[in-house]
């Protein structure tokens, strides 16, 4: 497990977490405690509550819970939930499989997780759903068989058609797990004045070829698969599901929006479909008309093609609907520029902030960013600042991940989901009380006025771990030549060591003796630096020791600065490959007591740095040789 240093034991971990995060109320304009929730509606480009007050929804997705995405659980080679289930069935019975999933769903997200989000000031939760949660156990068994072998898919499709015709799909709300889970989340969120967005993340048939996202059995079957009667049966079933959801929740003000279909993608001529989104238009038109026929006034969130962003032929004037009220248009923002001037020439491609604002103003509809994240803290801070300034709400992806650096909560490593010990560890580690907070990620959502903050309490004399540099933006807490990813085609990690923290600073796991915590700064280029807030308790000159390594053929040099002035120089000789850890030292100039900014500045590249130890320098006897 990667962590940022020694952590408290389980019994006190959450007290430590809450104390560490105390006071970070992140968001302005959220419903105040005790205010209550009213049905939301659209008026022009704004979302309003029943009193006419604007509500800007800012929150978190709870991904990986009701639909397992492999990278969230670190089961990447298994690719999707259906493939995870298929692998598990090699060593366990189907009843045992269902019991494991019931336990997983009971633990991965609970009221404690929702309470934690509310305590940080967020006002909504997006709930990604798998349609199989609305199947009976018998119906889910048929899908499980289809997931085990392609030869069973056609039989499953015909079963679905039969259940559809006999009105046996999604009708037993009292006993279907999906409805129970929604009701739980609505109750937890309402208790904290938080809205819920219902998101059909894995639709019947799958809305694109990426099975990790939608757990499809056959790519794009939602758009292509016909039953024995020639019907696009998966689309019929999707409409039926939303009809049942509308029947149950149409007057429920705790629900902010219905997100009909997560991230349709690659619905194009390369896959035997159109290039103008006509298939998506047809399904959205059916869904909108079906929900409105149930007298359901909820906001309806539309997602464009290309992972939720492209709206050719999906603008309000193009939809074949009678009621055009209460529509909201979505964007999913990953690996793109946050600059207000960055624009896409396609006005219907709206993941860039400029295009979002222009689309909103042109069509006079609210826009909302249903997913954003998977980047560095610097990118998070820029995205939040840009969206907040534009008055656009957002929902970060995602609350927790196994060994996740970009989530709010980090689930400790558990081994393999394919072993009994691994599954037991996963069920234990995924619980809220066992998770570790990524304080640097949370700080990235704080208002810009929060500025730079100490990551740890650091005093001189004393030990300073290199990874304990301050919380804050690039250029304030640290300087690195690559601090955020703004091009989806560039796969380079911002933290090239992918360990410990989620900034641009490059942190690597290392194997070195105590007091090393097992991490070190590396890939340190000329001009990069890190700032540390320190309290100097004793004035005078210091001996500074540094635990360093160098695998370059040339020497490296680090400058130690205090409040911008150089107080010492650390010389690291040319190294070996692999690098050998050693301790170098220097004597500083005299420094005063009080709070200061200590900075490590890279003057010559190549060094790896684990820690610095400051000790009072021996007194110099005047006249001594």
């Amino acid at each position: 497990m990667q962590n940022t240093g020694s952590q408290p034991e389980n019994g006190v971990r959450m007290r430590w977490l809450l104390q560490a995060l105390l006071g970070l109320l992140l968001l302005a304009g959220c419903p105040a405690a005790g205010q209550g929730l009213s049905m939301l509606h659209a008026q022009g480009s704004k979302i309003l509550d029943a009193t006419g007050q604007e509500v800007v929804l800012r929150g978190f997705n709870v991904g990986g819970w009701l639909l397992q995405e492999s990278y969230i659980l670190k089961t990447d080679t298994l690719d999707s939930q259906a493939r995870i289930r298929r692998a598990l069935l090699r060593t366990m019975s189907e009843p045992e499989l269902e019991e494991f999933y019931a336990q997983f769903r009971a633990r991965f997200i609970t009221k404690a997780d929702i309470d934690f989000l509310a305590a940080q000031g967020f006002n909504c939760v997006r709930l990604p759903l798998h349609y199989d949660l609305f199947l009976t156990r018998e119906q889910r068994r048929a899908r499980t068989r289809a997931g085990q072998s392609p030869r069973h898919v056609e039989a499953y499709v015909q079963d679905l058609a039969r259940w559809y015709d006999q009105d046996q799909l999604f009708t037993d709300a009292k006993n279907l797990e999906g409805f129970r889970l929604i009701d739980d989340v609505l109750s937890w969120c309402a208790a904290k004045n938080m809205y819920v967005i219902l998101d059909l993340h894995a639709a019947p048939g799958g809305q694109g070829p990426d099975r990790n996202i939608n757990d499809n059995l056959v790519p794009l079957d939602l758009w292509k698969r016909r039953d024995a009667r020639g019907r696009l049966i998966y689309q019929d079933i999707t409409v039926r599901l939303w009809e049942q959801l509308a029947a149950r929740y149409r007057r429920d003000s705790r629900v902010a929006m219905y997100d009909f279909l997560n991230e349709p993608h690659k619905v194009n001529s390369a896959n035997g479909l159109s290039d103008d989104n006509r298939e998506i238009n047809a399904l959205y038109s059916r869904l909108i008309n079906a929900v409105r026929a149930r007298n359901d006034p909820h906001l309806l969130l539309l997602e464009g093609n290309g992972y939720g962003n492209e709206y050719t032929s999906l603008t309000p004037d193009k939809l074949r609907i009678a009621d055009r009220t209460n529509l909201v248009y979505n964007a999913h923002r990953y690996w793109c520029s946050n600059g207000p001037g960055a624009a896409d020439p396609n006005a219907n491609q709206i993941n860039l902030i400029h295009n979002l604002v222009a689309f909103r103003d042109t069509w006079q509809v609210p826009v909302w960013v249903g997913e954003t994240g998977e980047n560095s803290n610097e990118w998070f801070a820029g995205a939040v600042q840009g969206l907040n300034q534009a008055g656009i709400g957002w929902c970060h992806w995602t609350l927790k991940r196994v060994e996740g650096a970009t989530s709010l909560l980090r689930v400790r490593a558990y081994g393999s989901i394919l072993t009994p010990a691994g599954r037991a560890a996963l069920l234990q580690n995924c619980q809220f009380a066992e998770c570790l907070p990524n304080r640097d990620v949370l700080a990235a959502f704080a208002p810009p006025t929060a500025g730079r903050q100490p990551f740890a309490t650091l005093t001189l004399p004393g030990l300073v771990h290199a990874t304990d540099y301050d919380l804050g933006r690039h250029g304030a807490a640290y300087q690195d030549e690559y601090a955020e990813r703004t091009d989806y085609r560039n796969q380079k990690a911002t933290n090239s060591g992918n360990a410990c923290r989620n900034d641009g600073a490059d942190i690597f796991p290392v194997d070195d003796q105590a007091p090393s915590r097992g991490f070190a700064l590396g890939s340190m280029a000329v001009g990069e630096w890190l700032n540390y807030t320190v309290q100097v308790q004793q004035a005078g000159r210091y001996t500074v020791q540094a635990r360093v390594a160098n695998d370059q053929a040339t020497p490296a040099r680090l400058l130690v600065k205090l409040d911008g002035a150089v107080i010492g120089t650390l010389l690291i000789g040319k190294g070996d490959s692999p690098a050998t850890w050693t301790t170098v030292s220097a004597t500083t100039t005299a420094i005063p007591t009080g709070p200061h900014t200590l900075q490590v500045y890279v003057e010559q590249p190549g060094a790896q740095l684990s820690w610095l130890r400051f000790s009072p320098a021996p007194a110099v006897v005047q006249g001594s040789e």
Side-chain angles (χ1 to χ4, degrees), residues 16-27 60 116-122 376-377 380-381 384 394 396 399 405-409 436-447 450 453 455 471-472 501-503:
W16 171 83
L17 183 153
L18 293 173
Q19 290 168 358
L21 302 178
L22 187 63
L24 271 178
L25 291 178
L26 308 179
L27 309 172
F60 260 74
F116 166 73
L117 284 174
Q120 315 318 314
F122 297 105
S376 68
N377 295 330
F380 295 165
V384 167
W394 45 267
H396 192 80
L399 174 60
T406 61
S407 54
L408 276 192
L409 298 176
L436 303 171
N438 287 322
R439 293 191 293 122
D440 56 323
V441 175
L442 183 55
F445 293 96
Q453 306 165 52
F455 182 81
L471 298 167
R501 291 178 63 170
N502 190 47
D503 297 308

Side-chain angles (χ1 to χ4, degrees), residues 348-402:
N348 291 318
Q349 172 71 29
I350 66 172
N351 61 317
L352 295 174
I353 294 175
H354 174 90
N355 289 60
L356 268 167
V357 171
F359 189 94
R360 176 186 67 186
D361 294 346
T362 297
W363 295 105
Q364 282 298 292
V365 290
V367 294
W368 190 64
V369 176
E371 289 184 21
T372 183
E374 300 300 319
N375 212 308
S376 68
N377 295 330
E378 175 64 18
W379 192 90
F380 295 165
V384 167
Q385 183 175 342
L387 292 168
N388 286 352
Q389 287 175 347
I392 298 171
W394 45 267
C395 205
H396 192 80
W397 186 271
T398 184
L399 174 60
K400 60 172 66 169
R401 285 178 59 177
V402 174

